Amino acid sequence: MTVTKRSKNQISKPESAAGDLVWFACVVAAVKLLLVPAYRSTDFEVHRHWLALTNTLPLSQWYSDETSPWTLDYPPFFAHFESFLSIFARFVDPTIVDLHNGLNYSSKSCILFQRITVILSDVILLYGVHRLTHNLGKTSRVLIWVLVVWSPGLLIVDHMHFQYNGFLLGILLVSLSWLEEGKDLMGGFVFAVLLCFKHLFAVAAPVYFVYLLRHYCRGGLVKGFGRLVAMGTVVVGVFVAAYGPFVYYGQIQQVFHRMFPFGRGLCHAYWAPNFWVFYIILDKGLAFILAKLGVSIQAPTASFTGGLVGDSSPFAILPRVTPLVTFILVLVGLFPCLVVVWRNPQPRMMSRWVAYAYMCGFLFGWHVHEKASLHFVIPLAVVALQSIEDAKHYFLLSIVSCYSLFPLLYETQEYPIKVLLLLAHSCLMWFGLSSQFSRPMITKARTSGPKTIGKSDLKGGSNVFTRNCNFSIGWTAKTYLLGLLAVEAWGQIAHPILFGNRLPFLPLMLISIYCALGMMFSWIWQLRRIISS
């Protein structure tokens, strides 16, 4: 049995915790405002167009309009969210919501308005992390706030590249907080709402289903069936509220066609660091070797990538990968976790299980965006403080995840920002986790067998001793992280000198491959952790 000493200043009242979080949020908001003029991707125009679309057209035409190539492909609740924001956008600048004249519109008022909507929507993220941490000591609570709210990945993706991941992940954290409190019905309800905001979160649906079936729908046949009906009614009610109007207008098929455009490539334009990177590289390598041996290889006519719908997944040698194949692989990866959930559904393990589910989706899914790593990095921030092993794993994974997002910001003026964000995050993690785990711990000695303990680690009597628990990631992890520096040095220094403007995809490919190694290690580590727990 291990008991960690907790100082008095770690204990605070809930209202004090809320006040601290408000101050914390204000500081973060100030940093986000400084990023308003930063680079923005085509996603900025995507969301601006959705503001115009939902404000101008009736609901029955939201998923059929083709005024812009950036058609609406998120679930109905997110469309209603855009419609809500468009009410205020019209007052700020009417051109923002002009369906035709607003195309590619990016005035200062438009940029400021959309940036501020992302900052304000992060209130949901703050609420979610508050619910998950309000019962923790002050030190642990603040450290998790740093890992989540100051996540460099969220700052890069949401407040520079431009998306709304923060408030969506906040909804996920709210759902997990209800489950950890034992309020399964509310947890299931909030998760259903999340799926109607962004369907890509459905990767964790099997975990939710098995957990709620075993944990909530228990207590005998009659009681269990009654709870199953209650949960089913709540979930179905959410989906009816979201999709019912489109069924009424005969648009439901068009909605699903937009939400699941399987004609897109297996990988995104920049290869997400997942399993398919190795599959593609193997295919390319085999094709190169066979061509050198004189074997005639027919070059693929389509692309592995593509943001728009078209031909997908060409391979010269290896079998063609279809969406069904990726779906089966995700389920296979999830299966051991589902067995564990079925056998022993524990509320405190849900954050770990859900993060693992999103990791499976990231590694084996179809047309995965590199930004999807946030889906498991953010929940794992809450898990990181459960043990020193979890802390070491999170330290490595969060750095790899953040570095894999670097290609999103390819302009020169943003380079110092993304580097400083990662360095600051790494330093805060190191000092925070070191202070959390490099503390004296009172441990009761086991009497089941002989055990040799160094004198420098012992203080006290024969049955109770004090030992130091030092935070260190080990030489293997340190070597791997140094490899990230080598990959970055190649892309920024060596490649331009050796190749100039030739082979521009090579540095991106190296980032994908090297980060994919770290992601695969993390997946294996999480799987072993879940099975052993």
Side-chain angles (χ1 to χ4, degrees), residues 51 55 80-92 97 113:
L51 290 173
N55 184 269
H80 287 293
F81 171 70
E82 294 278 7
S83 179
F84 172 74
L85 294 180
S86 71
I87 298 173
F88 304 96
R90 178 176 289 277
F91 290 103
V92 173
V97 293
F113 174 79

Side-chain angles (χ1 to χ4, degrees), residues 267-307:
C267 298
H268 197 238
Y270 156 59
W271 298 350
N274 60 14
F275 170 78
W276 300 117
V277 169
F278 303 114
Y279 192 82
I280 294 173
I281 293 299
L282 178 60
D283 180 80
K284 296 287 188 182
L286 290 175
F288 177 79
I289 293 172
L290 292 177
K292 287 293 184 181
L293 295 176
V295 179
S296 178
I297 303 296
Q298 183 177 1
T301 57
S303 170
F304 290 107
T305 68

Side-chain angles (χ1 to χ4, degrees), residues 129 214 267 284 305 311 379 439 523:
V129 74
R214 289 287 291 158
C267 298
K284 296 287 188 182
T305 68
D311 294 331
R439 293 180 297 178
W523 175 67

Side-chain angles (χ1 to χ4, degrees), residues 465-517:
F465 61 90
T466 301
R467 63 185 176 88
N468 289 324
C469 183
N470 296 318
F471 179 79
S472 176
I473 60 174
W475 283 108
T476 303
K478 290 178 182 177
T479 303
Y480 175 82
L481 292 179
L482 287 175
L484 292 178
L485 295 177
V487 170
E488 184 65 10
W490 169 267
Q492 296 298 321
I493 302 173
H495 185 88
I497 293 175
L498 297 176
F499 296 100
N501 294 326
R502 292 178 294 133
L503 304 176
F505 194 69
L506 182 57
L508 299 178
M509 185 177 68
L510 290 177
I511 293 175
S512 295
I513 294 173
Y514 197 77
C515 291
L517 292 173

Side-chain angles (χ1 to χ4, degrees), residues 131-336:
R131 283 193 54 84
L132 272 173
T133 61
H134 68 278
N135 288 326
L136 299 179
K138 184 174 182 179
T139 302
S140 300
R141 185 173 63 244
V142 172
L143 180 53
I144 292 177
W145 292 352
V146 170
L147 298 180
V148 174
V149 182
W150 282 359
S151 166
L154 275 177
L155 291 174
I156 289 173
V157 174
D158 280 10
H159 303 279
M160 296 179 72
H161 183 271
F162 194 85
Q163 278 193 348
Y164 290 90
N165 292 283
F167 98 91
L168 295 172
L169 288 166
I171 297 175
L172 175 66
L173 297 184
V174 171
S175 173
L176 293 173
S177 70
W178 284 116
L179 296 180
E180 289 196 2
E181 293 175 7
K183 299 176 181 178
D184 294 343
L185 191 62
M186 279 299 299
F189 166 75
V190 175
F191 184 69
V193 170
L194 174 62
L195 297 187
C196 294
F197 271 99
K198 192 169 185 179
H199 52 302
L200 299 182
F201 283 94
V203 178
V207 174
Y208 267 84
F209 176 79
V210 173
Y211 174 81
L212 292 174
L213 185 64
R214 289 287 291 158
H215 189 264
Y216 180 70
C217 303
R218 60 182 179 179
L221 181 61
V222 176
K223 184 178 179 181
F225 181 75
R227 289 190 166 190
L228 179 62
V229 170
M231 181 64 71
T233 301
V234 168
V235 173
V236 170
V238 171
F239 280 87
V240 168
Y243 295 95
F246 299 95
V247 174
Y248 174 79
Y249 288 114
Q251 290 288 307
I252 192 63
Q253 186 175 356
Q254 180 65 19
V255 172
F256 289 136
H257 176 71
R258 287 283 181 83
M259 289 171 54
F260 301 99
F262 291 122
R264 293 178 177 175
L266 172 64
C267 298
H268 197 238
Y270 156 59
W271 298 350
N274 60 14
F275 170 78
W276 300 117
V277 169
F278 303 114
Y279 192 82
I280 294 173
I281 293 299
L282 178 60
D283 180 80
K284 296 287 188 182
L286 290 175
F288 177 79
I289 293 172
L290 292 177
K292 287 293 184 181
L293 295 176
V295 179
S296 178
I297 303 296
Q298 183 177 1
T301 57
S303 170
F304 290 107
T305 68
L308 303 177
V309 178
D311 294 331
S312 57
S313 301
F315 290 95
I317 305 297
L318 298 179
R320 179 175 179 266
V321 178
T322 65
L324 179 61
V325 171
T326 62
F327 177 75
I328 293 173
L329 284 178
V330 171
L331 289 182
V332 170
L334 272 175
F335 183 74

